[in-house]
Amino acid sequence: MKDFDIREALIGSGTAEFLDHGFEKASLRTICKNAKVTTGAFYSYFEKKEDLFSAIVDPMLEAYHELYFTVVASALSGIDGNRDTELRIIEFICAHKDEFMLLFECADGTQYAGFRDRLHNDLFMPTYQACFDKYAECAVDPAVVRVFMHMKYTQYMELVYGGYSMEQIRNLVQMYAEFTNAGFISLINCIKKENI
Amino acid sequence: MKDFDIREALIGSGTAEFLDHGFEKASLRTICKNAKVTTGAFYSYFEKKEDLFSAIVDPMLEAYHELYFTVVASALSGIDGNRDTELRIIEFICAHKDEFMLLFECADGTQYAGFRDRLHNDLFMPTYQACFDKYAECAVDPAVVRVFMHMKYTQYMELVYGGYSMEQIRNLVQMYAEFTNAGFISLINCIKKENI
Amino acid sequence: MKDFDIREALIGSGTAEFLDHGFEKASLRTICKNAKVTTGAFYSYFEKKEDLFSAIVDPMLEAYHELYFTVVASALSGIDGNRDTELRIIEFICAHKDEFMLLFECADGTQYAGFRDRLHNDLFMPTYQACFDKYAECAVDPAVVRVFMHMKYTQYMELVYGGYSMEQIRNLVQMYAEFTNAGFISLINCIKKENI
Amino acid sequence: MKDFDIREALIGSGTAEFLDHGFEKASLRTICKNAKVTTGAFYSYFEKKEDLFSAIVDPMLEAYHELYFTVVASALSGIDGNRDTELRIIEFICAHKDEFMLLFECADGTQYAGFRDRLHNDLFMPTYQACFDKYAECAVDPAVVRVFMHMKYTQYMELVYGGYSMEQIRNLVQMYAEFTNAGFISLINCIKKENI
DNA sequence: AATGAATGAGGGTTCATTCAT
DNA sequence: TATGAATGAACCCTCATTCAT
């Protein structure tokens, strides 16, 4: 077996184990056993348990950041997104379900703990804040934006992890664009009125 | 130090430790040390680790169930809720932030594991499904309802755990009632059209 | 409740617990709980766990020693015992089943550990040795006597702890007197022959 | 030190500790210390405490069962046994003194608990019962048989654990064959008489 | 005299990591 | 480089005994 294969095997069994039990409760022994590798050998490929986690998650993270900065401009152009943009993002997440799940739910005890919060604060919030400010023509209370962001995020998550087919997802994206659009307009009006 | 205080101290340090590390990874030794109590003493107050968890969470759960069955009927009457009802629920959760967080995020390894899923599937979903069916005048795809439910749930969570003042929360509930209302109507129309 | 009663209650529940689990594995907590006494109170009546054991067992031991020295002379007079004597001994043991059982099987960890061996070596062996020597008219190999003694002891034990009625026991004593008698005579002849 | 030696060391110190304190009260830490091994290392060789017990006892048990079924037929042929058979059995037990002692006296808390009772009830009793029935030409009271069985068992135990030389044992077997024979005949006659 | 919470060492077991081979 | 036994601290829990009340 080539080094490459062993590494892949560890990444595979590591992903499964981390998803099942979270980083801290995951058993290195089990990961190694499932990869048909000795515990000692593990340390030829990774320095510590956490390095395996990083190896699983980092490649996607790079791709994600690339995608994000490619897409962020267009996402900013309107709150209902550009529906194509939304679909592209969702498709990307779907293509990396495991890695995102690891980052969102299984990263306690690693450097990635709090990933979701940083995502929200550093990437999403500025985007949405700008969008709100633009449409409301004033500085919108961040609390309002934050609630919106969380709901949007949740919508994505449910679409990705709800076990739906791509067709269903496309359909749901469509419907929830209507929902979000109408809601957003109503919310902006509400803000404008308050602001007078 | 009175018995009462020790029990309270254990409940306090237990809450902190469980919140920090989850039930399984929480260390009884740490809990006891922070409560300035020996590990042996712990077992004068609780039979097992999980009993401490239960002691933290159960009183709130009872109150919650009472509240739920009191409030569920009115919550069913319309999708924007009865705003008073929504506020009462949020206030309740705010008053028991820690306990809910423990149930939602830190209960793996206890009898309460999967609490959020059961809450969603057994309590929220039927409620929302009924509401959608009623307004759409047809059987709405559960996927649509589920996405909505998750978004609503997230909204509550953000209000509760976002660190807002009660006044801010009241304001946000108000605004997001507008949002949800308009969105819901738009969504229902969308469904009705499809259904023709 | 009088002191006397508490002591008795502890002796009762202690007997049960010691019989069930042996001295070392017996739980003082359980003994106290079953006697409806606090663990602290226990130490008003007994200095240590072992003292309870002694309190259970000592009164019988005294009575036993008295009996033994009363009966030993007649027991020495013939190997089939004096059947009345045998019955008296068995009846005595039957009347103190629990205490003997504690001494024989549950005393590990107490000063009484090895009770059976001391009984055999210090009381039974000399008696039986003398008997053999007398009938064989020579010094019989202690190994021969010792095997005999163990078999005799076992016979008693089975009669006492086999769950038989007193009537059955009387009958069995009768039959096994035949057995022992015939066996003994045969054995003695064998020894005499060897000795020529 | 080779793996083999460590396993053997653990089996050695485990045997000693189990014999001293019984399975449940035996301390793994002590076993490991005496084997000059850390507690963690233990679990490279055995999955649980009980597995060490099994490892000590199982090889002998297999050999025993083989022996038993080889020998049982001839043992049935007469009550004084076939003396060769008796000797073979005793020699076997002598060669596995520790293991038998563990099974008979130290197995509480393991799957082997109650070994002696099962041996008596499932193997010895049917054998002896059949023998008695055959010679007495009628169904003999099981109580009579059981007492006999216990005495016979005790005789074996004393021979094995009495610390005798093999030569002494051979001699004692011889003598006690006379004893048992004569006793048995007398007992059978007694039974026949009663039965008329 | 009676309480029962507190002690603190010890129980069996698991674990990420190390290191001699 | 690969092995997997060894480490040793930490895990939750139990216990006989003590001692302030």
Side-chain angles (χ1 to χ4, degrees), chain C residues 1 4-14 31 34-37:
Chain C
M1 194 187 255
F4 181 75
D5 296 331
I6 292 180
R7 218 186 120 87
E8 286 309 300
L10 283 169
I11 283 179
S13 66
I31 291 171
N34 291 340
K36 292 173 200 324
V37 156

Side-chain angles (χ1 to χ4, degrees), chain B residues 13-33:
Chain B
S13 66
T15 302
E17 178 79 3
F18 288 143
L19 284 172
D20 275 5
H21 302 99
F23 173 76
E24 291 187 301
K25 277 281 165 182
S27 159
L28 255 201
R29 277 171 171 72
T30 303
I31 291 171
C32 290
K33 201 191 307 165

Side-chain angles (χ1 to χ4, degrees), chain D residues 3 6 38 40-41 44-45:
Chain D
D3 285 6
I6 292 180
T38 56
S44 297
Y45 296 92

Side-chain angles (χ1 to χ4, degrees), chain A residues 92-159:
Chain A
F92 180 83
I93 303 176
C94 281
H96 302 87
K97 263 185 189 176
D98 288 346
E99 293 92 325
F100 274 103
M101 184 61 91
L102 287 174
L103 286 169
F104 289 146
E105 306 290 344
C106 311
D108 269 19
T110 74
Q111 53 167 308
Y112 303 96
F115 173 79
R116 186 174 46 211
D117 288 345
R118 287 196 301 280
L119 197 71
H120 287 176
N121 293 333
D122 303 346
L123 290 184
F124 296 166
M125 269 301 284
T127 305
Y128 284 121
Q129 184 74 56
C131 182
F132 268 77
D133 292 352
K134 179 172 136 203
Y135 279 89
E137 294 163 0
C138 68
V140 175
D141 178 359
V144 173
V145 181
R146 181 169 294 277
V147 171
F148 179 86
M149 177 200 63
H150 272 115
M151 291 175 73
K152 205 79 182 106
Y153 168 80
T154 300
Q155 180 192 320
Y156 280 32
M157 287 302 98
E158 175 56 21
L159 292 180

Side-chain angles (χ1 to χ4, degrees), chain C residues 24-25 143-144 146-148 150-151 154-155 158 164 171-172 175-176 178-179 182-184 186 191 194, chain D residues 24-25 143-144 146-148 150-151 154-155 158 164 171-172 175-176 178-179 182-184 186 191 194:
Chain C
E24 292 188 302
K25 280 176 285 189
V144 172
R146 180 169 294 278
V147 171
F148 180 86
H150 271 114
M151 290 175 74
T154 300
Q155 179 192 320
E158 175 55 21
Y164 308 117
N171 191 28
L172 286 163
M175 300 189 90
Y176 275 94
E178 304 280 350
F179 174 92
F184 179 71
S186 178
I191 291 166
E194 265 196 354
Chain D
E24 291 187 300
K25 276 281 166 184
V144 172
R146 180 167 295 276
V147 171
F148 179 86
H150 272 115
M151 291 175 73
T154 300
Q155 179 192 319
E158 175 54 22
Y164 307 117
N171 191 29
L172 286 163
M175 301 189 89
Y176 275 94
E178 305 281 349
F179 174 91
F184 179 70
S186 177
I191 291 165
E194 266 198 353

Side-chain angles (χ1 to χ4, degrees), chain D residues 142-179:
Chain D
V144 172
V145 181
R146 180 167 295 276
V147 171
F148 179 86
M149 177 201 63
H150 272 115
M151 291 175 73
K152 204 79 181 104
Y153 169 79
T154 300
Q155 179 192 319
Y156 280 33
M157 287 301 98
E158 175 54 22
L159 292 179
V160 169
Y161 293 103
Y164 307 117
S165 69
M166 209 57 224
E167 202 197 325
Q168 253 182 315
I169 290 175
R170 254 188 292 273
N171 191 29
L172 286 163
V173 167
Q174 192 87 333
M175 301 189 89
Y176 275 94
E178 305 281 349
F179 174 91

Side-chain angles (χ1 to χ4, degrees), chain B residues 3 6 29 37-42 44-45:
Chain B
D3 285 6
I6 292 181
R29 277 171 171 72
V37 153
T38 56
T39 47
F42 176 91
S44 297
Y45 296 92

